């Protein structure tokens, strides 16, 4: 590939299904490299170190932050999350595309240093639907759900800072939309090599 | 649909296969209305009035031009071609998307009055491939092919004024790319209704 790599950032409120969309994209889209975040939180059931997150201690996390190794990092619900910079930058320089799935707070931080990335907002069909999904998946406490909903109301307003918005009503439709966005962006004239 | 319509302009040199791509798009993509051009040239075998072109006399064409009924019109190879304005404008105002397949000269004219349209350049894999296609389809004379190739060399430089470039090497891949572009553009934040 002659062009530089493209960073695709998929983001949206908790419970909107962005993790599921990420998994489908990794199965279906060629030449897409997942950026794995570091976190100080404990693995949930079924999560694998190095695939879902890099699970690190608070001391290790702080050391990485001090060494400017994060594209962004943030406190979320008493834990630290961060996007290691070296992997993303290296892939983009090699002309490889990178997929980053991240919460809205993180995406807005990334945008400050990576304005050329493609920002895709995954939106719930409605707030009611989001509540029912968060309750349904059974891995969040009542308190955690309420806290998320308060955050969600203001987070949804951030959609204006994104390039695209995809409503996750039907999962297949949402995945198809994000795949189309990735494919379309790869055809954009700014990546076209005039000598080609 | 709450948003305004989007005008998709597919364009490229003669013989690149944009007519075939147009037909595939009309079969596969929902809510896409074809803009039919007017021309003074005679129908080719298999072409249908009102589907491929509106075939009009030179007098009628000139009258339409005098009445500002064209988004663009031009002389090409001793004939007149034009894009009737009323249909396109009406569909866009109704929130309907419109597909326009047009030569490069026409696309560049349209861009002056419709800067918000989405411009997609269909590119041959190589000049050699284009020659072989023009010869292969057997409906062009040697002189016509040579004239087209001279035009093509300079036309290919116009690609920089487009939003996207799609290489028509494999037809299925090219159609898939243009479909992705249409789907992606429909997800763009500028068409998103914040109240929705």
């Amino acid at each position: 590939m002659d062009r530089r790599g493209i960073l695709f950032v998929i983001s949206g409120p908790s419970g909107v299904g962005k993790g599921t969309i990420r998994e489908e994209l990794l199965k279906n889209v060629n030449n897409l490299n997942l950026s794995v975040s570091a976190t100080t939180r404990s693995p949930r059931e079924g999560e694998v170190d190095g695939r879902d997150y890099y699970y690190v201690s608070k001391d290790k996390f702080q050391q990485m932050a001090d060494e400017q190794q994060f594209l962004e990092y943030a406190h979320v619900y008493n834990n630290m999350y961060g996007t290691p910079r070296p992997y993303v930058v290296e892939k983009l320089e090699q002309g490889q595309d990178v997929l980053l799935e991240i919460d809205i707070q993180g995406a807005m931080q990334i945008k400050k240093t990576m304005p050329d990335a493609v920002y895709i907002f995954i939106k719930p069909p409605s707030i009611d639907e989001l509540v029912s999904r968060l309750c349904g998946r059974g891995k969040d406490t009542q308190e955690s759900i309420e806290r998320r909903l308060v955050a969600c109301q203001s987070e949804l307003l951030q959609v204006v800072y994104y390039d695209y918005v995809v409503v996750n009503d039907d999962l297949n439709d949402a995945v198809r939309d994000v795949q189309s966005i990735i494919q379309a962006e790869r055809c954009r004239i700014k990546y076209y090599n005039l000598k080609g």
Side-chain angles (χ1 to χ4, degrees), chain A:
Chain A
M1 217 180 301
D2 265 351
R3 60 170 174 81
R4 66 182 185 277
I6 308 170
L7 176 59
F8 294 99
V9 178
I10 57 173
S11 178
S14 283
V16 78
K18 52 190 189 292
T20 312
I21 291 173
R22 174 197 67 195
E23 291 309 304
E24 291 299 312
L25 292 173
L26 291 173
K27 270 189 261 172
N28 300 335
V29 181
N30 289 332
N31 302 320
L32 196 59
N33 303 276
L34 180 66
S35 162
V36 176
S37 298
T39 182
T40 59
R41 83 152 163 76
S42 309
R44 291 182 188 147
E45 202 181 318
E47 289 184 348
V48 174
D49 185 45
R51 189 195 68 183
D52 298 287
Y53 287 97
Y54 295 109
Y55 301 95
V56 298
S57 68
K58 292 195 172 176
D59 284 351
K60 172 69 177 168
F61 195 102
Q62 191 56 53
Q63 183 199 329
M64 290 168 75
D66 292 344
E67 290 169 357
Q68 317 283 333
Q69 284 189 39
F70 290 119
L71 277 178
E72 60 76 43
Y73 67 96
H75 272 97
V76 184
Y77 312 129
N78 299 325
N79 287 300
M80 301 295 287
Y81 293 78
T83 304
R85 179 195 303 270
Y87 177 85
V88 173
V89 170
E90 184 187 316
K91 288 288 173 191
L92 296 179
E93 282 174 357
Q94 289 167 358
Q96 300 273 310
D97 296 340
V98 176
L99 179 67
L100 177 58
E101 180 231 319
I102 194 168
D103 63 17
I104 294 169
Q105 186 181 348
M108 293 297 91
Q109 277 299 115
I110 297 261
K111 201 171 180 196
K112 292 177 189 165
T113 47
M114 309 291 271
D116 288 342
V118 176
Y119 293 86
I120 304 166
F121 192 93
I122 311 295
K123 186 185 166 295
S126 68
I127 289 281
D128 288 353
E129 178 63 27
L130 192 68
V131 174
S132 111
R133 285 185 202 177
L134 284 170
C135 295
R137 69 183 190 180
K139 54 184 170 181
D140 305 275
T141 64
Q142 180 67 24
E143 187 199 347
S144 149
I145 290 173
E146 280 171 14
R147 200 162 39 183
R148 282 174 186 210
L149 283 178
V150 170
C152 180
Q153 303 274 6
S154 65
E155 278 185 335
L156 285 178
L157 301 175
Q158 309 281 320
V159 67
V160 296
Y161 300 111
Y162 287 72
D163 300 301
Y164 297 96
V165 57
V166 168
V167 178
N168 187 14
D169 192 354
D170 175 89
L171 176 66
N172 290 332
D173 287 349
V175 170
R176 181 207 57 178
D177 283 353
V178 179
Q179 277 190 249
S180 292
I181 292 165
I182 293 171
Q183 191 58 31
E185 285 289 330
R186 288 173 171 177
C187 294
R188 284 181 78 94
I189 192 73
K190 66 177 170 180
Y191 299 115
Y192 179 66
N193 184 347
L194 273 177
K195 291 169 295 181

